[in-house]
Amino acid sequence: MKVDNSAELRRRIEALKREKRTVILAHYYTRPEVQQIADFLGDSLALSVKAQSVDADIILFAGVHFMAETAKVLCPDKKVLIPCPEAGCSLAESCDAKDFAAFKSRYPGYRVVSYVNTTVGVKALTDVCCTSSNALKVVESIPADVPVIFAPDRNLGSYIQKLTGRQNMVLWNGACHVHEEFSLEKLLALKREHPGAKVVVHPECRPYIVEVADFVGSTAAILDYCGTCGADEFIVVTESGILAEMKRRYPGKSFIPAPPDDESCACNNCKYMKMVTLENIAACLENEAPEITLDEEVRRAAERSIRNMIAIR
Ligand code: 13P
Ligand code: SF4
């Protein structure tokens, strides 16, 4: 029989946090029990902004690798811990820094906008990062006659291209394995079953899914919309971890997760985010490892593109 030791783990984590002056930052896609022990819970943009101002000796990042790297870029003097360094991201992995440098060299004079879901090496080759919260503002901040490279998410890129009508934009061909898996057929069937429900969609989804949405936005924007739009029922087309925060914020409303194409794979779960557990957080705090370390030259180059993003928030 499996023993539930989560209460004991939570107590250990709380004690270690106090003893080591540690702040835990967590993304909404992590497991509900991980979200519960976080000092700050947010989407990618909010977490980057928070990382630069935390009052602590140690930041423990309960999220995927690129998020912890971003915190280290912004806080080089702090120890940044990652409980599960194997927790990657299919978007970040779809864009290797060497390949991206070769791609960039084919487009001289282009301004490079990269989604924050990239490695530090790609950020170092970027003029300004963005998240799904501020991608539109970031692209709009670039003069219309300056061509743009947008990487690595082709779906977010084409969504922004459609909103801006910008022709002079080339897209890197990357995607998120979670957001690409939703089935249009199953989504339309759910819509017929729940005609009063609003369909909320993350822009990392494929264009034909975005097209049937009542609202398209980042994790934080979707959460806000569910509180303000007046509807009581929502079909949620994004990673399923967000449901915990939706239910916490709006206990009277109903949230239906949209199914992926292959329901046996549970691919509306980010397998990387779910690798972060109370067990590996406690061990990481105890050992003060694994820790993020970065080459200083690369860090400085990446910092410029992240700070440019935060300025456009
Ligand atoms: P946001 O947190 O910007 O909505 O991004 C979603 C995501 O896929 C994070 O990896
Ligand atoms: Fe990366 Fe997609 Fe997971 Fe976000 S949900 S961390 S984009 S794989």
Side-chain angles (χ1 to χ4, degrees):
M1 196 176 72
K2 199 167 179 270
V3 183
D4 179 12
N5 57 358
S6 54
E8 173 52 26
L9 278 170
R10 275 200 298 274
R11 267 194 298 277
R12 250 171 72 203
I13 291 168
E14 287 304 332
L16 285 162
K17 261 186 0 185
R18 277 193 301 277
E19 184 194 318
K20 300 187 183 219
R21 274 193 29 90
T22 299
V23 161
I24 298 185
L25 305 181
H27 193 274
Y28 289 121
Y29 293 174
T30 51
R31 295 165 182 270
E33 66 273 20
V34 169
Q35 296 187 27
Q36 272 168 18
I37 51 101
D39 297 294
F40 185 80
L41 189 58
D43 72 350
S44 305
L45 182 60
L47 289 168
S48 304
V49 173
K50 188 70 187 175
Q52 55 173 5
S53 64
V54 291
D55 178 22
D57 298 331
I58 299 177
I59 295 174
L60 183 144
F61 216 111
V64 294
H65 196 271
F66 78 81
M67 294 182 170
E69 259 187 0
T70 304
K72 184 66 182 179
V73 168
L74 292 168
C75 311
D77 300 331
K78 290 195 167 71
K79 189 176 259 190
V80 177
L81 300 177
I82 172 135
C84 183
E86 297 78 31
C89 162
S90 48
L91 262 174
E93 279 151 27
S94 74
C95 191
D96 171 76
K98 269 203 195 114
D99 297 343
F100 189 62
F103 180 78
K104 184 180 164 180
S105 70
R106 286 174 22 215
Y107 298 99
Y110 279 56
R111 199 73 54 87
V112 180
V113 177
S114 293
Y115 200 23
V116 77
N117 300 38
T118 45
T119 60
V120 71
V122 171
K123 288 187 178 82
L125 296 165
T126 294
D127 294 303
V128 48
C129 288
C130 71
T131 75
S132 49
S133 283
N134 67 355
L136 180 61
K137 270 194 190 162
V138 166
V139 172
E140 281 177 338
S141 74
I142 298 168
D145 59 340
V146 176
V148 171
I149 293 174
F150 191 96
D153 189 5
R154 59 176 176 240
N155 295 323
L156 178 62
S158 66
Y159 176 62
I160 299 298
Q161 204 165 16
K162 196 171 161 202
L163 291 183
T164 56
R166 215 166 168 129
Q167 300 302 313
N168 55 354
M169 207 164 140
V170 291
L171 310 181
W172 180 267
N173 191 18
C176 158
H177 76 289
V178 175
H179 288 95
E180 280 232 310
E181 288 306 318
F182 292 103
S183 150
L184 180 61
E185 204 187 324
K186 290 178 183 170
L187 175 58
L188 294 176
L190 260 186
K191 254 170 87 83
R192 283 193 295 276
E193 265 174 57
H194 302 271
K198 296 282 184 201
V199 177
V200 293
V201 172
H202 196 282
E204 285 173 23
C205 294
R206 292 182 192 265
Y208 55 74
I209 299 280
V210 168
E211 225 158 80
V212 298
D214 292 297
F215 180 78
V216 182
S218 67
T219 305
I222 289 176
L223 283 166
D224 290 345
Y225 174 79
C226 293
T228 54
C229 81
D232 288 328
E233 197 177 31
F234 300 88
I235 299 172
V236 181
V237 197
T238 185
E239 208 276 347
S240 60
I242 193 180
L243 293 162
E245 180 67 9
M246 287 174 158
K247 290 175 191 160
R248 199 157 43 227
R249 283 198 199 182
Y250 314 118
K253 299 195 179 198
S254 131
F255 301 97
I256 307 152
D261 220 357
D262 172 5
E263 287 177 59
S264 65
C265 75
C267 5
N268 58 343
N269 261 300
C270 176
K271 63 179 180 190
Y272 303 112
M273 290 282 191
K274 304 305 184 273
M275 286 176 172
V276 183
T277 62
L278 292 182
E279 281 84 356
N280 57 31
I281 290 175
C284 180
L285 271 172
E286 216 140 288
N287 304 326
E288 297 189 26
E291 179 184 354
I292 300 279
T293 53
L294 299 173
D295 172 89
E296 182 54 16
E297 205 178 313
V298 177
R299 189 201 67 77
R300 272 177 199 273
E303 182 177 14
R304 192 184 34 80
S305 62
I306 299 170
R307 294 219 180 268
N308 287 343
M309 165 183 88
I310 292 173
I312 299 174
R313 157 166 74 104

